[in-house]
C-alpha cells in the first residue's frame, strides 16, 4: 500500500502542460492566430490580442521553446554580454533591455567574460554558433569589426556604452547639457562660473569640462575656472573652500551630484546661501537630490531608454518586418530645481 501511494505521488508531481490548441479554443480563434500572437504580430486586432492574452493567463500557457526551436530554428533566447560583473552599473539599462526582449517574446541570458575585447568576441562567436541563442547584444566593448557581423546562427549587435572599468563612453559621454546649464544661468545674471570635474580618466568628465570651457568662452564670460575633482563630495567641498572672498564664482557646475552635494556643504561652511549667494548644479539625478535643502538642479540620464534602444536594434535585426523602433526622446534632460537662481547683486 505504501509503495503504491508513493508511486502515485511521484506521478502527480508534474501537472500537464496546456497546449496552443486549448488556448485557441478558449480564445475562440485558430491556433495559427495564437501563433501570430506569440510572435508579437503587430497587425493583429486589439480585441483579438486581449482575448488571447486572457486565455494564456487563465490556462497558464507557456510556449514549448525547445519544440519551437526544432521546428523553426528559433530558440527564442537572446544573450546579453555585460561588462565585468564587479563593476557593472545602472540596472536601468538591463531593465530596458529585458523590457523590449519580453515585449517581443524573447528570454534573456546575461553573461560576463573577463579579458580583452578579442577574448569576449571569441566567446560571443562560440555562443552564437552554438544554436542556443538567436542573437547577442553586447553591452561591453568588442573589437570594432564585431558590429554588423552576423554568423549563420545568430545576429550580433554592439552597444558598448561603458568600458571595462564602467566608464561612460559614446553617447553617455556627451557633455552638451553643460552648455544649456551655463546659458540658462547666464540669462539669470551669472557672469563668473566654476566647473568641478569628475575624474579626468573618464571620457564623460573630459566631455563636460570641454563643453563648459567652450561655452564660457563663447559667451564671453571668462575666465573658465576649472577645479579638477574625482566625482567625490570631498572634491566639491574642497573646491569651494579654496575660493577667494573677492571675485568668486556665483555659479558652480559640478561633474555629478555627489560633487554638487560637497559644493553645497562647503558653501554652508563659508556662510553662503544656496542659491542666494551661489547657484549649484549636478549630474545623474541621484535619488537624494530631490530631498536636499535646497533641492538640486541636475541632469537626468535615461539609462532605461539606452537599454531599450540597444535591444530594439537587435530585435529589428532579427525581425526586419517589425521595422525600426521609433525614437524615445533625449538621453539627457536637465531638471531645474531650487539650487539655482538669479545671481546675487552683491556678488
Amino acid at each position: 500500500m505504501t509503495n503504491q501511494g508513493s508511486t502515485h505521488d511521484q506521478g502527480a508531481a508534474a501537472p500537464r502542460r496546456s497546449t496552443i490548441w486549448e488556448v485557441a479554443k478558449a480564445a475562440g480563434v485558430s491556433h495559427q492566430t495564437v501563433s501570430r500572437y506569440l510572435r508579437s504580430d503587430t497587425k493583429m486586432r486589439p480585441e483579438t490580442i486581449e482575448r488571447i492574452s486572457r486565455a494564456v493567463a487563465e490556462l497558464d500557457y507557456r510556449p514549448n521553446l525547445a519544440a519551437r526551436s526544432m521546428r523553426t530554428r528559433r530558440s527564442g533566447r537572446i544573450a546579453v554580454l555585460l561588462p565585468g560583473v564587479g563593476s557593472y552599473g545602472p540596472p536601468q539599462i538591463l531593465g530596458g533591455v529585458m523590457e523590449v526582449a519580453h515585449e517581443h517574446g524573447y528570454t534573456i541570458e546575461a553573461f560576463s567574460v573577463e579579458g580583452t575585447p578579442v577574448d569576449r568576441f571569441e566567446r560571443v562567436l562560440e555562443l552564437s554558433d552554438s544554436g542556443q541563442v538567436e542573437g547577442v547584444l553586447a553591452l561591453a566593448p568588442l573589437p570594432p569589426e564585431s558590429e554588423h557581423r552576423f554568423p549563420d546562427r545568430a545576429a550580433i549587435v554592439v552597444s558598448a556604452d561603458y568600458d571595462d572599468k564602467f566608464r561612460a563612453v559614446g553617447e553617455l559621454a556627451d557633455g552638451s547639457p553643460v552648455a544649456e546649464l551655463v546659458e540658462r544661468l547666464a540669462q539669470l545674471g551669472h557672469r563668473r562660473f566654476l566647473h568641478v570635474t569628475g575624474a579626468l580618466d573618464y571620457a564623460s568628465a573630459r566631455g563636460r569640462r570641454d563643453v563648459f570651457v567652450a561655452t564660457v568662452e563663447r559667451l564671453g564670460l571668462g575666465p573658465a575656472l576649472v577645479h579638477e575633482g574625482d566625482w567625490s563630495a570631498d572634491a566639491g567641498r574642497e573646491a569651494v573652500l579654496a575660493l577667494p572672498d573677492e571675485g568668486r564664482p556665483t555659479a558652480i557646475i559640478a561633474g555629478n551630484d555627489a560633487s554638487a552635494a560637497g559644493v553645497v556643504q562647503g558653501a554652508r561652511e563659508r556662510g553662503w546661501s544656496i542659491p542666494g549667494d551661489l547657484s549649484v548644479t549636478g549630474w545623474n539625478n541621484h535619488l537624494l537630490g530631490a530631498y536636499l535643502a535646497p533641492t538640486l538642479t541636475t541632469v537626468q540620464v535615461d539609462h532605461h531608454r539606452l537599454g531599450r534602444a540597444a535591444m530594439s536594434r537587435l530585435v529589428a535585426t532579427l525581425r526586419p518586418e517589425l521595422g525600426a523602433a521609433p525614437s524615445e526622446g533625449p538621453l539627457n534632460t536637465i531638471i531645474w530645481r531650487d539650487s539655482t537662481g538669479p545671481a546675487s547683486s552683491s556678488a
Side-chain angles (χ1 to χ4, degrees):
M1 293 291 291
T2 302
N3 288 339
Q4 291 176 354
S6 174
T7 301
H8 176 74
D9 289 343
Q10 292 174 359
R16 188 179 68 84
R17 189 189 194 102
S18 299
T19 69
I20 192 172
W21 288 275
E22 290 171 331
V23 173
K25 182 178 180 180
V29 298
S30 68
H31 75 276
Q32 293 96 332
T33 301
V34 176
S35 181
R36 287 174 55 204
Y37 166 86
L38 296 174
R39 295 196 303 270
S40 301
D41 189 334
T42 58
K43 297 179 181 179
M44 294 183 66
R45 296 165 60 182
E47 56 268 29
T48 302
I49 293 175
E50 174 61 28
R51 292 209 311 273
I52 298 175
S53 296
R54 193 161 50 244
V56 166
E58 290 173 353
L59 294 173
D60 193 25
Y61 174 72
R62 296 292 183 273
N64 189 329
L65 297 179
R68 184 174 73 176
S69 177
M70 293 176 62
R71 185 172 61 254
T72 67
R73 295 177 65 84
R74 291 184 176 181
S75 66
R77 297 162 64 193
I78 288 175
V80 178
L81 173 64
L82 304 177
V85 172
S87 64
Y88 186 66
Q92 300 96 328
I93 294 180
L94 194 55
V97 165
M98 295 174 64
E99 189 173 270
V100 171
H102 294 164
E103 286 172 1
H104 295 284
Y106 293 101
T107 57
I108 291 294
E109 293 188 12
F111 67 103
S112 176
V113 178
E114 301 298 332
T116 68
V118 173
D119 295 331
R120 281 191 292 275
F121 190 46
E122 287 300 319
R123 177 67 179 110
V124 166
L125 289 178
E126 290 175 7
L127 187 64
S128 61
D129 287 337
S130 71
Q132 298 176 15
V133 299
E134 291 186 45
V136 179
L137 174 63
L139 300 178
L142 293 180
E145 64 271 16
S146 308
E147 183 67 88
H148 304 307
R149 180 170 177 178
F150 307 113
D152 293 339
R153 294 299 300 271
I156 299 173
V157 166
V158 181
S159 183
D161 299 295
Y162 293 94
D163 66 14
D164 288 339
K165 295 183 179 179
F166 195 56
R167 295 176 298 196
V169 295
E171 189 180 8
L172 275 176
D174 176 25
S176 59
V178 170
E180 184 179 343
L181 290 170
V182 173
E183 291 165 354
R184 173 73 174 273
L185 290 168
Q187 291 172 1
L188 293 174
H190 294 274
R191 294 294 178 267
R192 293 189 296 277
F193 291 80
L194 170 70
H195 176 49
V196 181
T197 77
L200 292 178
D201 57 341
Y202 284 66
S204 55
R206 297 192 300 273
R208 292 167 205 176
R209 176 202 60 190
D210 293 347
V211 172
F212 171 80
V213 172
T215 304
V216 168
E217 292 179 349
R218 172 171 56 83
L219 297 177
L221 302 174
L225 302 176
V226 174
H227 178 94
E228 185 174 338
D230 58 4
W231 305 118
S232 70
D234 283 342
R237 176 175 174 271
E238 290 166 3
V240 174
L241 296 181
L243 291 174
D245 290 323
E246 298 297 328
R248 63 174 177 80
T250 61
I252 294 182
I253 310 296
N256 68 347
D257 289 351
S259 293
V263 168
V264 171
Q265 176 59 32
R268 286 178 177 152
E269 291 180 28
R270 298 197 64 166
W272 300 341
S273 67
I274 308 290
D277 296 317
L278 183 67
S279 284
V280 182
T281 72
W283 191 295
N284 281 336
N285 193 27
H286 189 284
L287 176 64
L288 295 179
Y291 297 92
L292 293 177
T295 55
L296 182 64
T297 291
T298 188
V299 178
Q300 166 73 49
V301 182
D302 193 348
H303 292 96
H304 186 266
R305 193 222 77 172
L306 201 70
R308 284 190 59 89
M311 181 53 73
S312 293
R313 286 175 52 207
L314 179 56
V315 170
T317 302
L318 293 170
R319 298 166 65 178
E321 71 276 9
L322 297 179
S327 174
E328 298 187 47
L331 178 64
N332 298 316
T333 304
I334 296 176
I335 301 176
W336 294 98
R337 295 193 180 117
D338 296 338
S339 66
T340 48
S344 169
S345 58
S346 60

